[in-house]
Amino acid sequence: QQQVKQSPQSLIVQKGGISIINCAYENTAFDYFPWYQQFPGKGPALLIAIRPDVSEKKEGRFTISFNKSAKQFSLHIMDSQPGDSATYFCAASGGTSYGKLTFGQGTILTVHP
Amino acid sequence: GAVVSQHPSRVICKSGTSVKIECRSLDFQATTMFWYRQFPKKSLMLMATSNEGSKATYEQGVEKDKFLINHASLTLSTLTVTSAHPEDSSFYICSAGLAWGYEQYFGPGTRLTVT
């Protein structure tokens, strides 16, 4: 009920391409869905987040698509750059886990020049 | 804004000793701080939730007597790993939550190595 399943585990994209990472959740009480970017040896950095009252949110090259009925959300990175190579985590929070984040398993993104 | 610092960034200690890690919110007051542990190439595992002025709430399976958490002020939480053993070696990360939302901002992490 509390799990967030993330796929793929790893992703290789050419420079300029679109990177797509998907997450699915079970707990319908979740109402906050952030994405974090983590570089090796560093803490995660909040990238973009969405609440279920909207189906899409865009910030620069990063877009979250949210499908409430399917209980899925995804991160799209447009015009992917080598500097985007990092591990990306989706997460969810809400309901009885207010304030606590449940993380997905992570996706290692590699963008080739 | 929303900067969280951790100190130290790296620490090496001998087995049986205790180590304290500090987590500070630099430009905001954090009513809630969280402590995570991360193994190589793995996701973040929540260890405990810390609210200012009250006892920390530990996740199932986390030994509260081994991982002592103190949240003495709205900008400082500490994690003390007591009687550390090599299996406690890990990357420890704190985060701080804004009082009015779900946003959590993470510190840079502390690499603990127990020899």
Short mmCIF file of all heavy atoms in Angstrom, two decimals, chain A residues 35 47 50-51 79 99-100 108 113:
data_model
loop_
_atom_site.label_atom_id
_atom_site.label_comp_id
_atom_site.label_asym_id
_atom_site.label_seq_id
_atom_site.Cartn_x
_atom_site.Cartn_y
_atom_site.Cartn_z
N TRP A 35 9.91 14.82 -7.54
CA TRP A 35 11.02 14.12 -8.16
C TRP A 35 12.32 14.74 -7.63
O TRP A 35 12.42 15.97 -7.51
CB TRP A 35 10.98 14.26 -9.68
CG TRP A 35 9.95 13.40 -10.32
CD1 TRP A 35 8.65 13.72 -10.58
CD2 TRP A 35 10.14 12.06 -10.81
NE1 TRP A 35 8.01 12.66 -11.19
CE2 TRP A 35 8.91 11.63 -11.35
CE3 TRP A 35 11.23 11.19 -10.85
CZ2 TRP A 35 8.73 10.37 -11.92
CZ3 TRP A 35 11.06 9.93 -11.42
CH2 TRP A 35 9.82 9.55 -11.94
N LEU A 47 13.64 18.50 -7.63
CA LEU A 47 13.65 18.92 -9.03
C LEU A 47 12.33 19.59 -9.40
O LEU A 47 12.28 20.71 -9.90
CB LEU A 47 13.88 17.69 -9.90
CG LEU A 47 14.41 17.82 -11.30
CD1 LEU A 47 15.74 18.55 -11.31
CD2 LEU A 47 14.59 16.42 -11.90
N ILE A 50 4.42 17.75 -8.04
CA ILE A 50 3.07 17.97 -8.53
C ILE A 50 2.06 17.48 -7.50
O ILE A 50 2.37 16.59 -6.70
CB ILE A 50 2.85 17.24 -9.89
CG1 ILE A 50 1.62 17.78 -10.62
CG2 ILE A 50 2.75 15.73 -9.68
CD1 ILE A 50 1.53 17.29 -12.07
N ARG A 51 0.91 18.09 -7.50
CA ARG A 51 -0.20 17.63 -6.68
C ARG A 51 -1.27 17.11 -7.62
O ARG A 51 -1.34 17.50 -8.77
CB ARG A 51 -0.71 18.76 -5.79
CG ARG A 51 0.32 19.20 -4.77
CD ARG A 51 -0.26 20.14 -3.73
NE ARG A 51 0.77 20.67 -2.85
CZ ARG A 51 1.17 20.06 -1.74
NH1 ARG A 51 0.65 18.91 -1.38
NH2 ARG A 51 2.13 20.60 -1.00
N ASP A 79 15.32 17.46 -24.34
CA ASP A 79 16.65 17.91 -24.74
C ASP A 79 17.69 17.49 -23.68
O ASP A 79 18.42 18.32 -23.14
CB ASP A 79 16.64 19.43 -24.91
CG ASP A 79 17.94 19.97 -25.48
OD1 ASP A 79 18.63 19.21 -26.19
OD2 ASP A 79 18.27 21.14 -25.20
N GLY A 99 3.86 14.26 5.39
CA GLY A 99 5.22 14.75 5.58
C GLY A 99 6.29 13.72 5.31
O GLY A 99 7.42 14.08 5.01
N LYS A 100 5.98 12.44 5.42
CA LYS A 100 6.98 11.41 5.16
C LYS A 100 6.95 11.03 3.69
O LYS A 100 5.90 10.79 3.12
CB LYS A 100 6.68 10.17 6.02
CG LYS A 100 6.89 10.38 7.50
CD LYS A 100 6.32 9.25 8.32
CE LYS A 100 6.89 7.91 7.98
NZ LYS A 100 6.40 6.86 8.91
N ILE A 108 18.96 5.27 -12.78
CA ILE A 108 20.26 5.84 -13.14
C ILE A 108 20.19 6.26 -14.60
O ILE A 108 20.05 5.43 -15.49
CB ILE A 108 21.38 4.81 -12.93
CG1 ILE A 108 21.43 4.36 -11.47
CG2 ILE A 108 22.73 5.41 -13.35
CD1 ILE A 108 22.40 3.22 -11.21
N PRO A 113 27.08 12.01 -24.91
CA PRO A 113 27.28 13.23 -25.71
C PRO A 113 27.09 12.98 -27.20
O PRO A 113 27.16 11.84 -27.66
CB PRO A 113 28.73 13.63 -25.43
CG PRO A 113 29.29 12.64 -24.50
CD PRO A 113 28.29 11.60 -24.22
#
